[in-house]
Amino acid sequence: MALLVAFPSVHYAHDIPSRVTVLAFIKPEPGRLHLLVRAPLEAMRDVNFPVSGPGYLDIEKSGRLLDDAARVWIAGAIELYENGNRLPEPRVLRSQISLPSDRSYTTFDSAAAHVAGAGLPVGTELLWKQAMVDVELDVPIADPSARFSIRPTLARLGVRTNTVLRFLPASGGERDFEYFGDPGLVQLDPRWHQAALRFVALGFEHILDGIDHLLFVFCLVIPFRKIRPLVAVITSFTVAHSITLIASAAGMAPDGLWFPPLIEVLIALSIVYMALENIVGPKLERRWMVAFGFGLVHGFGFSFALRQSMQFAGSHLATSLVSFNIGVELGQLFVLAVTIPALTLLFRHVVAERMGTIILSAFVAHTAWHWMVDRFEVLRQYQFEMPAMSLSGAASVTRGLILLLIVAGAAWAMFEVVGRIQRGAVGASRIPGLARGGDE
């Protein structure tokens, strides 16, 4: 044991790199799907590449191992589909070592010419941890105009793997994807229903993963035991965050670096406010207004998550946007379906309603307060700048005014809708036999 501690061995091929960047091109061609991939050599573990001196890669002797490493770590981690049908595993055509300073992977043509070239001279002194592996692969297809999809599992290359994938369809143009880890099945040219299903699932998962949004909804519903007022509040929150979500996707939100941190602070502030209002005694008849105001803030928060995923929408941006919003609403309904019965049982059998509301809200307020303080420290690092007096600045101001008009119109509409709901509740309470059924 003492010898093992005193003389630790050095493992060159088994350390997992912390950050890995993969560059890839996919181009349908007559009879085949052409793939070009670049990845760091150190990410291909369990392959002992020969080195010399202080760790220089022996390029001549490594040639025989490159194809095997590419087959295991690249080709074996890519599943391709043509019109939904699984294609065979990609075949490795050639592979070679490249310098980290090589910039041939900026376009498909330059990358293809580089991989087909002579490669590095045998005597090149290149540290093995700095070497890049360029791989050319192909797989037979029936129709280059078909719809293709890919399921890459390249996240195993590193602790944090960033992949930049460029698809060049037969119809022309280029579609770029960038993602961390494994994205699941990616439709390279999705149909509208494929994009819709993906974004409904994405919105549903986002509302369940977003603990701050869940706590806000939780604070909203704690004091309610009747359906009609709860419907008015949830509808108000839904309308508000839908407006800012769509507006942000349409480019109406401020584009300053300070804006996302500001929204994060305001989201935490909204939770603190709702929790404190529950503690001091909520005014339920006006809660829909509070829900509407803070819903505008939460909508911008939803849009930040959506921006990173719009690349998977293909040409169906509007469909994907609506589908994401539907997924968010389904997630909220799921949370309400679980939360409201649980609160009812808690207040009926465990603790009095007023005391339980104070205790739960106090826990939420304590958590959200720390979030708000931490996020404010991040916000302080950014400098707010007024829009410059230019055409672009005037366009930003105009978009902001349009958004304010939309918000004002939606608020007026919600005022009318909530008024009718409340008048309907009052009317039902005056009819014998409908008082209980109309409110509960």
Side-chain angles (χ1 to χ4, degrees), residues 12-13 235 254 353 387:
Y12 288 103
T235 301
E353 179 175 342

Side-chain angles (χ1 to χ4, degrees), residues 400-423:
L401 292 176
I402 293 174
L403 179 57
L404 287 177
L405 289 175
I406 295 173
V407 170
W412 176 81
M414 281 303 307
F415 185 83
E416 293 294 325
V417 170
V418 173
R420 291 186 179 184
I421 292 176
Q422 292 175 345
R423 288 193 296 270

Side-chain angles (χ1 to χ4, degrees), residues 44 47-50 61-71 95:
M44 300 180 183
V47 180
N48 294 313
F49 292 97
K61 295 181 181 179
S62 298
R64 297 188 298 269
L65 299 174
L66 281 180
D67 287 350
D68 293 337
R71 189 175 299 108
S95 59

Side-chain angles (χ1 to χ4, degrees), residues 22-199:
V22 178
L23 305 178
F25 289 95
I26 299 179
K27 183 179 181 180
E29 297 176 350
R32 70 168 183 170
L33 201 61
H34 197 180
L35 293 86
L36 300 172
V37 181
R38 167 173 285 183
L41 178 69
E42 64 172 332
M44 300 180 183
R45 303 178 299 278
D46 300 331
V47 180
N48 294 313
F49 292 97
V51 296
S52 61
Y56 293 135
L57 181 67
D58 191 325
I59 296 177
E60 183 179 15
K61 295 181 181 179
S62 298
R64 297 188 298 269
L65 299 174
L66 281 180
D67 287 350
D68 293 337
R71 189 175 299 108
V72 172
W73 290 96
I74 303 297
I78 297 177
E79 295 180 8
L80 293 164
Y81 299 82
E82 179 181 6
N83 291 329
N85 299 317
R86 173 78 180 273
L87 294 173
E89 181 177 302
R91 178 185 55 168
V92 177
L93 300 179
R94 60 178 63 87
S95 59
Q96 63 173 257
I97 298 295
S98 296
L99 296 172
S101 58
D102 179 77
R103 295 293 180 265
S104 60
Y105 266 68
T106 55
T107 66
F108 176 85
D109 292 335
S110 61
H114 174 75
V115 175
L120 294 176
V122 174
T124 302
E125 293 183 345
L126 175 63
L127 294 175
W128 73 273
K129 279 198 171 185
Q130 297 178 352
M132 308 298 293
V133 178
D134 294 340
V135 185
E136 182 180 11
L137 312 99
D138 73 351
V139 59
I141 59 174
D143 182 10
S145 300
R147 294 185 178 271
F148 298 98
S149 54
I150 182 173
R151 189 190 303 275
T153 56
L154 297 172
R156 59 179 182 157
L157 291 177
V159 176
R160 183 175 175 82
T161 303
N162 179 32
T163 302
V164 179
L165 172 64
R166 298 173 182 174
F167 175 63
L168 293 81
S171 57
E174 181 177 293
R175 183 161 294 146
D176 298 340
F177 302 88
E178 184 175 1
Y179 52 85
F180 289 98
D182 295 334
L185 183 65
V186 176
Q187 302 291 338
L188 298 176
D189 189 15
R191 297 181 179 180
W192 72 268
H193 65 275
Q194 293 172 331
L197 290 176
R198 182 182 184 94
F199 279 82

